[in-house]
Amino acid sequence: MRPDESTNRNSNYVPQRQVEFFSSGEQSREKRKPGVEVGGGLSVGGLSLRRLLTMAAVSPADSTDPVDVALRNSLRFLFRHGAPETGVSREDFDPAKDRRYSLARVHGFQRTKDSPAEKTVIIRGDLESVMNVAKPSHQDRILLRKNAQMAGSRGYRCLAVASATVGDNGELGAFRMEGFVNVRPVGTGLQDEDLTPTSDDWVRLQLWSAGLRFLHWLNVVLIVLLSVTGYYIMDPFFGDTFFRGIETGFLMGWMRFIHFSCGFIWIAVGLARAFIAFFSKDRYMRWETFWPIHSKEDMKNLGRTLGFYTFLRKEGPLYVAHNPLQQLTYTSIYIVGALQMLIGLSLYALYHMSNPVWAFIALPCSWFGIPIMRLLHVMIMFLFWWFVIAHIYLAFRADSLERHGGVSAMISGGVWMRRTSRPVDAPEL
């Protein structure tokens, strides 16, 4: 049984591209990239970094691939009294031709100094591809990706490693994620486009238009101004007050003026967003996105997302734009915001009762009473404060875990997605 056949049977991963770490032997020596250096790594399988490096260095004994040469040189430096033998025959090595990792069969490999020698199959190659085969835990996936991101910022490319033992009957066991080793061209790590994190690993998608980003930040400014001035109108928390027997001047008048002006601008922003929802050609901005559940699968994805947010699932469905839970939350905020505008207009209309239009708008104050309307107005303000705090926290948390640039997307308009990822709301990247 060939190692690659066992691997494909134990994994649903469909190979996409050949990994850049290995040359297939068909390239000429002139085309190979010399001067590769090894820069540490991360072990998640219980191995020491030296043992992890030993596993990563397993390759054909006559290989002249720059990465293989660099790994063997690193071993000779670490094991000054004799580096372990990592060369295998060509018959025991299956290079990365139709997938993004290679396989090597090692006879008598010792994981540790005192462990028994076992027949082992070693995978090494692209981090995401190896993780798809080894299926590490959710915590290990996060740890590996975060450390890979940090290494990538220094110009390193991660050579992931996983292993599986072969039983006495020749049956290949489950693969175990071991970690990764960092490699890059000698120097700054910015000299060789094949070994630095470029568009080979990530795809940038322009998602949010300039108009939507402008409305977003205008909303932020208006909500802050409305909250500060509204709270001051309710409870003057700075400046001179009448209760202290001091002339107050026109401070309250300015606060009310700013509050009313921002309120009318906020209404205009809401109308502009409604216009965009019906007339925009961008499918992520149209009114259909306000209700993200259109099928049973959407309902299932909502449940999966909720399970991921409540730590009941290891991973949630991948979306380029908003997932169903996010979109339902934003739609609810739109509705609450519209209610806040209506309450504010109704309270403002009390000062213009001689006008029949304003008198009509002020009718809710007659139905429910002015104190109730003001209480609702304040409660919604506090609800917005809670939403802003949660929104900022979750945005930074998602950006930290998924590394998609979601926070900066509201400035640049673009998000980053891993190549070959399969978002629910977009084609395969």
Side-chain angles (χ1 to χ4, degrees):
M1 178 174 58
R2 289 174 58 83
D4 56 326
E5 293 173 349
S6 302
T7 303
N8 291 334
R9 190 170 63 187
N10 284 278
S11 171
N12 294 325
Y13 174 68
V14 179
Q16 300 293 331
R17 297 185 294 126
Q18 180 174 343
V19 67
E20 292 84 1
F21 288 114
F22 308 101
S23 60
S24 61
E26 299 174 358
Q27 292 177 312
S28 64
R29 293 177 63 92
E30 290 77 9
K31 291 184 179 180
R32 293 183 179 128
K33 308 288 194 304
V36 174
E37 62 182 359
V38 179
L42 173 70
S43 174
V44 296
L47 294 177
S48 66
L49 284 179
R50 294 206 302 178
R51 289 288 174 179
L52 178 64
L53 182 61
T54 302
M55 192 172 285
V58 172
S59 60
D62 58 348
S63 174
T64 57
D65 186 283
V67 174
D68 295 337
V69 173
L71 291 171
R72 288 198 294 265
N73 290 337
S74 296
L75 279 179
R76 282 194 287 269
F77 176 78
L78 291 175
F79 293 88
R80 296 179 182 272
H81 300 291
E85 178 58 44
T86 59
V88 296
S89 65
R90 288 286 178 180
E91 290 74 19
D92 288 327
F93 186 79
D94 192 2
K97 292 182 178 179
D98 299 320
R99 56 180 179 268
R100 303 189 69 187
Y101 54 84
S102 68
L103 299 107
R105 187 193 299 269
V106 182
H107 302 275
F109 183 83
Q110 288 182 284
R111 286 182 56 85
T112 63
K113 183 178 180 180
D114 301 323
S115 62
E118 297 176 305
K119 185 181 293 185
T120 305
V121 173
I122 297 174
I123 287 182
R124 60 176 197 170
D126 172 72
L127 178 61
E128 291 295 326
S129 301
V130 174
M131 286 199 298
N132 283 336
V133 175
K135 295 180 173 58
S137 66
H138 179 62
Q139 291 79 5
D140 284 345
R141 282 180 183 267
I142 293 175
L143 184 64
L144 287 162
R145 285 170 176 163
K146 281 189 175 182
N147 281 270
Q149 181 76 11
M150 293 174 61
S153 66
R154 300 192 300 272
Y156 284 106
R157 189 73 175 269
C158 298
L159 175 60
V161 181
S163 67
T165 57
V166 181
D168 296 335
N169 59 355
E171 186 71 22
L172 183 65
F175 277 94
R176 174 180 182 175
M177 193 71 196
E178 304 291 357
F180 63 75
V181 174
N182 296 324
V183 294
R184 71 176 181 185
V186 174
T188 63
L190 301 176
Q191 302 170 358
D192 190 336
E193 62 181 9
D194 289 337
L195 290 176
T196 52
T198 64
S199 57
D200 285 343
D201 303 291
W202 297 86
V203 179
R204 187 181 187 277
L205 303 176
Q206 190 66 24
L207 186 60
W208 309 121
S209 67
L212 185 67
R213 282 177 277 146
F214 173 76
L215 292 179
H216 174 272
W217 291 111
L218 185 56
N219 265 307
V220 172
V221 174
L222 291 174
I223 289 174
V224 170
L225 290 175
L226 285 166
S227 297
V228 172
T229 55
Y231 192 92
Y232 183 87
I233 293 171
M234 178 187 70
D235 179 21
F237 55 91
F238 69 90
D240 297 328
T241 64
F242 173 79
F243 300 102
R244 294 167 57 187
I246 303 174
E247 182 64 33
T248 60
F250 200 65
L251 180 58
M252 179 61 76
W254 281 113
M255 288 294 178
R256 287 165 58 85
F257 172 75
I258 295 173
H259 190 79
F260 297 153
S261 299
C262 290
F264 282 110
I265 296 174
W266 198 35
I267 292 173
V269 170
L271 294 174
R273 183 64 184 93
F275 178 85
I276 291 174
F278 286 96
F279 295 98
S280 175
K281 296 181 180 179
D282 188 344
R283 68 189 185 99
Y284 292 118
M285 296 172 60
R286 289 188 58 81
W287 64 271
E288 292 94 338
T289 60
F290 291 163
W291 183 254
I293 301 174
H294 304 285
S295 64
K296 290 183 179 179
E297 188 63 25
D298 291 335
M299 195 67 189
K300 291 179 181 178
N301 283 331
L302 174 62
R304 294 172 186 137
T305 303
L306 185 61
F308 174 63
Y309 274 52
T310 53
F311 304 102
L312 298 178
R313 294 179 61 90
K314 293 182 178 180
E315 293 185 358
L318 177 65
Y319 284 82
V320 173
H322 299 140
N323 63 50
L325 190 59
Q326 290 173 326
Q327 188 56 65
L328 287 176
T329 302
Y330 297 145
T331 301
S332 301
I333 288 297
Y334 286 147
I335 295 173
V336 172
L339 178 62
Q340 183 78 324
M341 294 175 189
L342 292 176
I343 294 175
L345 278 175
S346 184
L347 291 171
Y348 179 80
L350 293 172
Y351 300 95
H352 308 279
M353 295 298 290
S354 59
N355 186 301
V357 176
W358 286 114
F360 175 77
I361 295 175
L363 282 177
C365 292
S366 302
W367 298 338
F368 303 105
I370 296 175
I372 296 297
M373 295 290 283
R374 286 178 172 169
L375 178 62
L376 288 175
H377 203 55
V378 172
M379 290 176 64
I380 293 176
M381 177 186 70
F382 287 130
L383 179 63
F384 268 99
W385 290 7
W386 174 86
F387 168 76
V388 169
I389 294 171
H391 178 64
I392 293 174
Y393 165 73
L394 291 174
F396 276 94
R397 177 184 179 274
D399 207 356
S400 176
L401 292 178
E402 301 171 16
R403 299 292 181 180
H404 55 29
V407 174
S408 61
M410 271 301 157
I411 299 176
S412 65
V415 296
W416 291 90
M417 305 292 291
R418 291 183 183 275
R419 191 175 291 277
T420 73
S421 59
R422 297 174 175 84
V424 176
D425 56 343
E428 179 180 347
L429 304 177

